[in-house]
Amino acid sequence: MENQNRDTYRFQVNLSGMINILSNHLYSSPKVFLRELLQNGIDAITARQAYSQGGYEGKIHVEVSGTSTGATLLVEDNGIGLDEAEIHEFLAMIGQSSKRGEDFLSTNTSFIGRFGIGLLSCFMVSDDIVMVTQSAKGGPALEWHGKPDGTYTIRKLDGEYAPGTKVYLRCKEGSEAYFEENNLQEWLFYYGALLPYPIQLVSDHTTRLINPPSPPWVKDPQLARKHQDEVLAFGKQVLGETFRDFIPLHTSSGRTGGIAFILPQAVNLSAKRNHRVYLKHMLVSEAASNILPDWAFFVKCLIWTDELQPTASREHFYENVQLEQVREELGNTLRQELMRMAEYHPDRLQSIISLHALSMKALAVEDLSFYSIIHEWLPFESTYGRKLLGELKQQPPLYFTATLDEYRQITHVASAQSMLVVNGGYIYDAELLAQLPLIDPDVQTERLLPEEVSLSFTDITPQERLDYYESVRLADSVLQKFRCQVQLRRFKPEEIPVLYTLSEQSAQWRVLQATKEVSTDVLSSVLGSLGATLKDTAYATLYFNLNNPVIERAFHSAHLAMLPAIVEMLYCNALLMGHYPMNRQETALLNQGIIQFIDWGITAAGHATGGEE
Amino acid sequence: MNLTEMSFEDLMEEAYGMPGGKAKMELLEQAVRVADAAGDIDQGYEARSEIVELGSFHGYPMKTLVAFSWQLGQYDKNPGRFDDYSLLWSYKWVLDRITAFADISRVQIENLLEDMKARYAAEGYSSRTYHYYRAHIFAEFGELGASQAEWDIVQSMERDGMSDCMACEQHHLVEFLAKRGDDEGTLRAAEPILNGTMSCSEVPHVTISKVLLPLLRLGRQKEADKLQKKGYKLIKGNRDFLYHQGEHIGYLTLTDPVKALEVFEEYIASSLDHENPADQMIFNAYSAKLFRRLAEESIRFQVKLPAGHPCEHQSEDVASLAKHFQKLALVTAEKLDKRNGNVYYTELLKQL
């Protein structure tokens, strides 16, 4: 009984507040009103196609007249049109609250509901909107006249009207650019390049067709292979870049397709990957980065789909299971095409790899079967120069370093011994080299530790061992406090006096020690405890090259007094050259050493001049 | 691209655009070397800030600790030069994993807690975060009573700008209740996380593996199976979640051992050179449990082990693998117990 006394009220929606939300927070630019109007037209055409079978052809007509604030824009479709009840319905939709806040745009997929929202976006560029519509289902033609304060009028029109909807916009001050002919042409193409119905733009002087008739390869991307030039030209027209190669994309459902244009230049790994995506033929996003897997940074794509859910602004896609699946399938198409190239067009593949090696490596790390197909063409840096893996793997076992630092330590020495070592320090390289035996059982790869290079050094003779016994012992004792041992060997090239190698633990221990010096007491004590365990396994080796004439003289028993200073200076120099952090003690050593050598130099010069006198 | 020839700016720009992981860490470490070689403290600080964050969320707690130590030292030496909020915030990340290193003594950990408390107080933050971390650290020591007492303090205080987000706090509570073996309490506390009311960048990722066994014990396997699939997707591929990957192995061992073996094979490689000994211990312990379970089967298993693994030639002998992984886990457990002064972890391994 009480119910009868209860009235239901609806929240009053402030339309200007709503427009403000749309333009400032939802859409990236007011020009989206064009997309919304095109979308309304397309939806109406689709609805009419379902309603009246056969003999019907949809089209959209855009007309601009007048200039500056006197300009008027007409967007007309020959779609299903609206009757009075439907007009009220879409207007009601605008005010309807939604559980998901702004998401109402995306959840509300009914034609009528979307129609109202689309129309609403026109208030971003116009204060005066008139819509004339004739429903294909009959009834009188109607004129709806809306104002941004939220008031509107509806009038029945006399006379005969063909089914469809016309929307007239009067230019609002400050929005002149959106009524400018050339801009309109550009933006209509931008949004509607793939629309399957012709869009015509008419101005005072000209009539032009905005979009080419829908090419056959949009329906079936595989056909793109037969229309190579046309596809490349289209890519240039839409994306503004000149491409030389592309890969057609499709998913198993057939509901997503596209063209992946191979970027003609190498790209930075961190470069934004902006693909252009069309939802139901309409441009949704030109910055969709999440529609392809991360490794696909060597392509720029045009993608069309009708199976993804756009976000509220209709400018991106929701990260959901469907998107994940589409991404995986598109990734698969790319991968399969590359593998096909390896078999039938190795030249084509090679030119792609030479530009986009990093992208290929990123994918190969994730996918062994792909790696196995393309591995021969992947470039690596080695002591023999930059070579392709196919060539490198001919010389088993293939040695590689795990880090850049390790490679740096040994590169000169290894090159001089003609030892092939691959630099595994670049992104993905060490992982790929470690996995190589998995895809080619005939190849052995082995991680080379810096100290292992010394295995190829020539030992000194027993006689030399005796001769240099004292000096080696002295040198060794000098560096003991730095957890570095001294070895005397002969190795190429002779210009290199010493080779400094250190284990991973040793490198880590050095970082700990250096950090301990700058840190706070509390944390220094913690680092000290961690270092204590490392210290036992941390060791470094300084190899002295007896082939080097200066080293030979330095280790001669006649110079024992100078040897400690020489050893210390060469040690510090090795640290500096290797960019290793130096602790206070080592820095002090370097300073003292320089002064010491200057002193010796001056004294020696004094003796020399003294002698002459 | 040649790392050694790249400038600091190039290295950082490259790093900022990379997904979290080993490759990004290498770029940042090179950036630190370049900055240090040039003696540029500001650049050294910037690169280390990134290392601290990357290390905290992608499984390099040791690198985080070292980089943070450098930052804090420079921060004290150069008053006013660096932003205090972000540095104080990352102090929490360091304390999160500090107990995992058995070489760090209880006194040292206590000192860190007090240091954090003093620094927070100096910037006007309350001691709530200090107690929150004491609760966490006591629980990690296996002193659940002491942890409970700290939780009581935390819950009596008001949150402030240094508090973890609500989802993280709720997760820590779930973790604590799970440690106590309170199945129903665990599930009650996890409810707002599981139904999506509370979430953040790592929750529910880390929470789901905590409720799987409680659900199973309460006879709700269907729910558990569904959650396991969801949770596993969330932690897939990130080495920061080794502990939780281990817990998934633990659950699957009871429900789908073959699937458990697949999870093991996927993460064994990243467990080998992992920086967090406690996470390794849990992963190894659940792996041992898995292999004991597989040993009961009459089918022959061929376990995929990474090249160079010490058990490479026993890949068919699951009983030996069980022993190997149990032993590894036990060594760490004993070290941790010795530091903690109890038998919590050795007992825990026995009960798994």
Side-chain angles (χ1 to χ4, degrees):
Chain A
M1 293 299 264
E2 270 182 357
N3 276 350
Q4 287 179 343
N5 297 330
R6 193 180 281 172
D7 287 326
T8 306
Y9 296 99
R10 223 178 244 294
F11 284 108
Q12 293 298 308
V13 174
N14 178 335
L15 199 55
S16 61
M18 190 88 168
I19 293 163
N20 186 34
I21 289 177
L22 288 181
S23 51
N24 294 331
H25 303 293
L26 193 55
Y27 295 128
S28 55
S29 150
K31 74 180 183 200
V32 299
F33 84 94
L34 279 174
R35 182 192 68 202
E36 296 297 315
L37 287 178
L38 283 177
Q39 187 68 57
N40 280 355
I42 293 303
D43 290 348
I45 288 170
T46 313
R48 183 156 175 209
Q49 261 169 345
Y51 176 78
S52 57
Q53 312 93 344
Y56 165 73
E57 273 181 37
K59 62 176 186 220
I60 291 176
H61 173 90
V62 182
E63 197 170 327
V64 62
S65 57
T67 52
S68 79
T69 43
T72 305
L73 182 71
L74 159 67
V75 177
E76 178 182 7
D77 67 68
N78 61 348
I80 189 117
L82 299 165
D83 62 25
E84 188 167 350
E86 287 167 337
I87 293 182
H88 286 298
E89 196 185 333
F90 84 62
L91 290 167
M93 281 291 184
I94 296 174
Q96 223 167 50
S97 69
S98 158
K99 274 184 198 160
R100 294 168 68 184
E102 285 187 351
D103 274 6
F104 72 97
L105 282 190
S106 62
T107 50
N108 187 347
T109 47
S110 84
F111 160 53
I112 305 294
R114 270 214 51 78
F115 190 93
I117 302 299
L119 204 55
L120 198 62
S121 71
C122 295
F123 281 116
M124 292 192 287
V125 298
S126 174
D127 282 339
D128 194 4
I129 302 177
V130 174
M131 175 183 75
V132 174
T133 183
Q134 167 67 57
S135 174
K137 297 167 188 163
L142 299 162
E143 181 194 84
W144 175 88
H145 190 164
K147 299 230 157 121
D149 61 6
T151 61
Y152 62 87
T153 52
I154 295 181
R155 194 159 67 92
K156 290 191 176 71
L157 299 178
D158 296 328
E160 289 280 307
Y161 284 82
T165 302
K166 294 177 195 155
V167 176
Y168 296 90
L169 305 180
R170 165 85 48 81
C171 177
K172 170 161 129 178
E173 206 177 313
S175 293
E176 293 80 1
Y178 302 101
F179 292 73
E180 215 262 305
E181 188 183 339
N182 289 333
N183 287 344
L184 285 170
Q185 179 179 4
E186 186 187 327
W187 294 333
L188 287 169
F189 178 75
Y190 173 72
Y191 289 120
L194 287 182
L195 285 177
Y197 311 107
I199 309 167
Q200 209 175 38
L201 175 63
V202 178
S203 70
D204 297 339
H205 344 279
T206 49
T207 297
R208 48 195 137 182
L209 186 66
I210 293 293
N211 54 337
S214 190
W217 40 266
V218 170
K219 273 197 198 73
D220 179 5
Q222 292 299 340
L223 293 176
R225 297 180 200 284
K226 293 196 189 105
H227 300 263
Q228 190 130 357
D229 293 342
E230 201 186 309
V231 173
L232 291 174
F234 190 76
K236 182 171 167 64
Q237 192 186 1
V238 175
L239 296 172
E241 279 183 72
T242 306
F243 303 103
R244 287 195 294 269
D245 201 354
F246 63 83
I247 295 174
L249 299 173
H250 58 88
T251 58
S252 55
S253 65
R255 296 179 59 187
T256 302
I259 304 287
F261 293 97
I262 312 270
L263 288 170
Q265 73 285 333
V267 279
N268 201 311
L269 200 57
S270 57
K272 269 253 165 264
R273 295 175 277 284
N274 293 334
H275 306 300
R276 209 168 270 206
V277 184
Y278 297 80
L279 179 65
K280 298 183 182 160
H281 309 292
M282 183 75 76
L283 181 77
V284 181
S285 172
E286 57 172 342
S289 49
N290 57 356
I291 196 156
L292 279 180
D294 281 341
W295 50 260
F297 45 81
F298 62 105
V299 289
K300 186 162 187 163
C301 303
L302 289 180
I303 291 172
W304 43 91
T305 180
D306 66 357
E307 57 186 327
L308 295 176
Q309 195 192 3
T311 57
S313 65
R314 296 182 56 81
E315 292 174 5
H316 293 280
F317 294 107
Y318 275 112
E319 188 65 56
N320 59 15
V321 184
Q322 231 165 345
L323 178 59
E324 202 176 304
Q325 196 186 334
V326 166
R327 180 165 49 220
E328 203 180 307
E329 286 196 40
L330 293 181
N332 267 333
T333 335
L334 275 180
R335 180 193 341 243
Q336 276 158 16
E337 179 78 6
L338 290 170
M339 287 160 76
R340 221 176 61 103
M341 278 184 209
E343 200 167 335
Y344 301 107
H345 308 284
D347 296 352
R348 215 176 130 207
L349 179 65
Q350 216 172 334
S351 82
I352 294 178
I353 293 181
S354 66
L355 276 178
H356 303 292
L358 213 52
S359 204
M360 300 297 137
K361 286 180 177 180
L363 173 56
V365 163
E366 282 182 11
D367 179 351
L368 275 187
S369 59
F370 178 75
Y371 182 33
S372 139
I373 303 276
I374 67 145
H375 74 279
E376 299 204 349
W377 291 285
L378 291 176
F380 286 83
E381 184 187 302
S382 77
T383 47
Y384 285 10
R386 197 175 156 85
K387 299 269 180 201
L388 299 185
L389 192 51
E391 189 181 338
L392 288 171
K393 74 171 186 176
Q394 303 303 326
Q395 310 205 14
L398 190 55
Y399 293 110
F400 67 95
T401 63
T403 66
L404 193 66
D405 186 43
E406 289 173 0
Y407 184 75
R408 225 174 36 198
Q409 289 178 47
I410 58 169
T411 169
H412 292 301
V413 176
S415 316
Q417 334 272 323
S418 316
M419 184 178 179
L420 174 61
V421 181
V422 182
N423 182 359
Y426 297 145
I427 298 168
Y428 309 123
D429 284 1
E431 283 132 298
L432 287 173
L433 290 165
Q435 286 175 346
L436 188 59
L438 294 178
I439 58 161
D440 185 346
D442 293 337
V443 182
Q444 276 182 8
T445 60
E446 209 168 297
R447 177 181 166 190
L448 187 73
L449 293 167
E451 56 266 35
E452 288 168 352
V453 181
S454 65
L455 296 179
S456 62
F457 293 174
T458 317
D459 277 337
I460 50 175
T461 64
Q463 184 57 46
E464 286 170 331
R465 193 175 295 277
L466 265 178
D467 294 347
Y468 294 108
Y469 180 77
E470 269 310 308
S471 26
V472 171
R473 221 178 53 128
L474 179 60
D476 199 48
S477 69
V478 168
L479 296 185
Q480 259 318 307
K481 56 178 174 289
F482 303 113
R483 301 202 59 75
C484 178
Q485 50 168 331
V486 167
Q487 298 275 353
L488 194 59
R489 292 279 196 282
R490 289 185 183 278
F491 53 88
K492 286 189 255 178
E494 63 174 46
E495 300 81 54
I496 291 187
V498 294
L499 174 69
Y500 178 71
T501 68
L502 78 178
S503 64
E504 237 173 312
Q505 290 90 342
S506 185
Q508 206 181 358
W509 181 71
R510 293 197 65 85
V511 174
L512 276 182
Q513 291 301 104
T515 308
K516 224 176 103 178
E517 283 176 4
V518 295
S519 193
T520 65
D521 292 347
V522 181
L523 280 160
S524 289
S525 135
V526 167
L527 297 179
S529 301
L530 290 173
T533 331
L534 273 176
K535 196 176 169 187
D536 302 333
T537 47
Y539 60 91
T541 308
L542 192 61
Y543 292 96
F544 285 83
N545 187 1
L546 206 51
N547 283 346
N548 181 287
V550 178
I551 294 297
E552 196 190 358
R553 281 169 64 198
F555 273 71
H556 198 275
S557 55
H559 302 295
L560 270 190
M562 279 176 87
L563 189 62
I566 294 172
V567 169
E568 284 168 357
M569 289 297 276
L570 285 170
Y571 170 70
C572 289
N573 188 49
L575 293 180
L576 282 174
M577 300 301 288
H579 284 304
Y580 297 106
M582 290 172 81
N583 62 34
R584 262 184 226 130
Q585 221 181 342
E586 288 158 347
T587 319
L589 209 60
L590 183 64
N591 292 333
Q592 289 158 17
I594 289 174
I595 298 296
Q596 173 76 77
F597 276 92
I598 291 173
D599 186 37
W600 280 338
I602 292 175
T603 312
H607 285 313
T609 33
E612 270 167 25
E613 278 172 1
Chain B
M1 186 186 50
N2 191 334
L3 281 189
T4 39
E5 288 157 16
M6 286 168 76
S7 69
F8 178 83
E9 287 79 13
D10 290 347
L11 286 161
M12 292 305 286
E13 198 195 319
E14 189 83 31
Y16 282 128
M18 294 271 284
K22 180 168 170 258
K24 179 169 183 172
M25 185 59 91
E26 278 177 12
L27 285 167
L28 292 172
E29 290 189 310
Q30 178 65 15
V32 163
R33 266 179 233 126
V34 172
D36 287 358
D40 192 320
I41 295 178
D42 294 302
Q43 290 186 339
Y45 196 94
E46 183 192 348
R48 284 182 174 88
S49 298
E50 292 300 312
I51 289 183
V52 166
E53 182 164 354
L54 179 67
S56 300
F57 295 97
H58 288 271
Y60 298 93
M62 180 82 112
K63 292 191 197 300
T64 292
L65 174 62
V66 174
F68 177 78
S69 300
W70 187 96
Q71 281 191 297
L72 199 63
Q74 295 294 2
Y75 173 84
D76 285 356
K77 286 193 185 76
N78 303 280
R81 188 159 170 179
F82 304 109
D83 176 49
D84 15 74
Y85 183 79
S86 56
L87 185 71
L88 290 183
W89 184 270
S90 46
Y91 214 141
K92 302 196 300 173
W93 296 338
V94 170
L95 289 180
D96 256 332
R97 277 94 173 169
I98 200 80
T99 54
F101 302 103
D103 291 329
I104 302 176
S105 71
R106 288 189 64 134
V107 174
Q108 285 170 327
I109 294 171
E110 284 285 343
N111 289 343
L112 283 174
L113 277 165
E114 296 306 320
D115 182 50
M116 176 180 92
K117 183 186 184 187
R119 286 173 188 274
Y120 277 27
E123 294 296 326
Y125 297 106
S126 79
S127 63
R128 186 176 185 274
T129 304
Y130 162 79
H131 289 291
Y132 177 74
Y133 270 90
R134 276 171 72 87
H136 170 65
I137 283 168
F138 281 135
E140 293 291 303
F141 283 159
E143 295 172 3
L144 303 183
S147 179
Q148 179 67 63
E150 295 293 333
W151 269 113
D152 292 343
I153 300 174
V154 171
Q155 279 160 346
S156 72
M157 294 180 76
E158 292 225 3
R159 292 168 49 81
D160 71 6
M162 276 297 150
S163 300
D164 271 4
C165 78
M166 304 276 263
C168 282
E169 287 202 353
Q170 190 69 19
H171 165 76
H172 272 111
L173 187 62
V174 172
E175 200 174 63
F176 174 66
L177 292 167
K179 272 196 174 138
R180 295 252 309 239
D182 176 357
D183 286 350
E184 275 155 26
T186 304
L187 295 179
R188 240 191 333 273
E191 186 53 32
I193 293 177
L194 299 181
N195 69 20
T197 318
M198 286 180 171
S199 71
C200 71
S201 60
E202 293 208 321
V203 171
H205 313 37
V206 291
T207 316
I208 287 176
S209 61
K210 304 291 169 193
V211 302
L212 297 178
L213 290 175
L215 281 172
L216 190 64
R217 283 191 288 260
L218 294 173
R220 293 159 65 180
Q221 190 185 337
K222 259 201 181 138
E223 286 166 71
D225 283 345
K226 226 175 121 189
L227 276 173
Q228 189 276 325
K229 284 201 187 74
K230 180 179 168 193
Y232 185 63
K233 262 193 188 160
L234 292 172
I235 59 169
K236 208 168 180 296
N238 184 340
R239 61 190 279 130
D240 195 35
F241 298 128
L242 185 67
Y243 193 108
H244 309 90
Q245 285 145 2
E247 287 181 323
H248 278 263
I249 293 176
Y251 173 77
L252 290 169
T253 296
L254 301 176
T255 57
D256 187 354
V258 175
K259 181 84 200 149
L261 181 58
E262 282 171 24
V263 177
F264 166 84
E265 286 171 345
E266 181 147 6
Y267 295 104
I268 174 64
S270 73
S271 84
L272 291 177
D273 63 348
H274 204 275
E275 283 193 358
N276 188 325
D279 291 3
Q280 277 176 319
M281 172 184 74
I282 292 297
F283 182 86
N284 288 333
Y286 279 116
S287 302
K289 183 183 176 188
L290 164 67
F291 290 121
R292 287 197 294 272
R293 171 73 185 78
L294 294 181
E296 294 166 12
E297 299 289 325
S298 52
I299 325 164
R300 242 184 41 177
F301 293 95
Q302 172 78 37
V303 180
K304 265 190 260 163
L305 292 168
H309 191 274
C311 300
E312 209 177 345
H313 305 293
Q314 291 163 295
S315 57
E316 288 176 25
D317 181 358
V318 282
S320 295
L321 289 177
K323 284 199 191 99
H324 170 79
F325 285 103
Q326 184 71 15
K327 199 175 145 209
L328 282 184
L330 209 56
V331 168
T332 308
E334 279 164 1
K335 278 192 200 157
L336 289 172
D337 282 350
K338 191 169 165 228
R339 189 266 317 273
N340 299 343
N342 57 28
V343 291
Y344 178 76
Y345 285 103
T346 38
E347 285 297 314
L348 184 76
L349 293 197
K350 276 186 209 155
Q351 288 162 20
L352 280 187

